[in-house]
Amino acid sequence: MIQLYDYILSAECYKVRLLCALLGVKFQPIKVNVHPGGDHLKPEFALINPRRTIPVLQDGAHRICDTNTILIHIARRHDPSEQWLPRDENMFDDTLGWLGFAAKELDLLQSLRMNSITAAGSASRTEMEQAHAALTIVEDHLAEGELERRHWLVGKSPTIADIAVFPPTILAPDGGVPLERYPALWRWFDRVKKLHGFIVMPGIFPNLSGVV
Ligand SMILES: N[C@@H](CCC(=O)N[C@@H](CS)C(=O)NCC(=O)O)C(=O)O
């Protein structure tokens, strides 16, 4: 069985837990107490991941220390329908594009959130502008999609692009970034929450109105 080095408050780890839940993939969690334990900074963790980040996925002898790579690995290995990582060339490119966007442009939202959880820090004016610029890109893309009856980031079905972008955006208020001005984002949050197998994490609540 695959093992996941996991921390309950990590939105990156949640991406992996969520994809596994949606695909019915079982894994053994290995708890890493990032805060307040600082387990990831201990010398023994450097042997698992010298970058000292989580999630880390151990699949047999193969170890993966990067969230996007883990999502790709799980989709390729456990989704024979190829819905979550589409084979179609354009959709594949678009999916990877959103993974890159999540890792780069949305990283600020993650740091603001972790900062407010662990150090009670708050966003500077520039950070707030950058955060809203990134959220506006997602909002505009989703709003345009609704006009074209495309209800997901890539095409007409959810992909790992949605898994990568959902946690940092929905958790933005935990980092002090309000979401009131993003109606298409809220409608997409509801769609994600209605997926069969959807799971929650602290700060992300279930949608109780049924599944699609
Ligand atoms: N580039 C890494 C980043 C993962 C990441 O930032 N994880 C956070 C938890 S959400 C972490 O390990 N933070 C501990 C630290 O950076 O000291 C990935 O995509 O896996």
Side-chain angles (χ1 to χ4, degrees):
M1 187 187 294
I2 58 177
Q3 296 175 311
L4 176 68
Y5 291 81
D6 192 15
Y7 173 49
I8 183 72
L9 291 181
S10 161
E12 296 296 303
C13 293
Y14 170 68
K15 292 176 186 181
V16 179
R17 295 196 298 270
L18 177 57
L19 182 62
C20 285
L22 294 169
L23 285 172
V25 175
K26 294 206 178 344
F27 64 87
Q28 180 195 354
I30 299 175
K31 289 186 184 166
V32 182
N33 183 343
V34 171
H35 182 78
D39 285 356
H40 62 308
L41 302 176
K42 294 182 179 159
E44 52 268 34
F45 191 78
L47 301 174
I48 294 158
N49 179 9
R51 290 153 73 180
R52 295 175 180 277
T53 57
I54 46 157
V56 174
L57 189 87
Q58 187 77 42
D59 191 348
H62 189 41
R63 181 175 294 163
I64 311 173
C65 298
D66 171 79
T67 310
N68 283 345
T69 314
I70 294 172
L71 296 178
I72 291 168
H73 176 83
I74 292 172
R76 283 180 54 169
R77 202 163 260 205
H78 298 282
D79 173 27
S81 74
E82 298 179 345
Q83 172 200 310
W84 292 92
L85 180 58
R87 184 182 283 267
D88 171 88
E89 213 168 77
N90 292 346
M91 289 173 71
F92 178 87
D93 292 349
D94 290 347
T95 303
L96 262 54
W98 281 109
L99 295 192
F101 178 83
K104 187 162 182 284
E105 276 92 338
L106 298 182
D107 187 51
L108 172 63
L109 293 176
Q110 303 272 47
S111 342
L112 291 173
R113 176 175 162 270
M114 284 321 277
N115 205 19
S116 83
I117 290 174
T118 59
S122 60
S124 69
R125 192 187 165 131
T126 309
E127 286 174 329
M128 201 58 107
E129 282 168 9
Q130 288 170 345
H132 281 297
L135 288 166
T136 301
I137 290 172
V138 186
E139 170 73 15
D140 289 351
H141 181 75
L142 289 168
E144 275 168 34
E146 288 176 352
L147 296 176
E148 297 161 8
R149 306 185 73 76
R150 173 186 46 73
H151 293 296
W152 302 96
L153 288 175
V154 179
K156 301 204 169 179
S157 304
T159 65
I160 55 173
D162 299 282
I163 302 288
V165 173
F166 172 71
T169 50
I170 194 168
L171 289 169
D174 284 3
V177 182
L179 288 176
E180 281 80 7
R181 64 175 99 156
Y182 303 109
L185 215 49
W186 283 102
R187 290 190 288 274
W188 172 70
F189 292 158
D190 271 348
R191 292 195 283 280
V192 175
K193 289 181 176 188
K194 286 179 183 166
L195 289 170
H196 181 74
F198 177 79
I199 54 166
V200 296
M201 70 165 274
I204 301 181
F205 305 100
N207 180 315
L208 300 173
S209 64
V211 294
V212 288

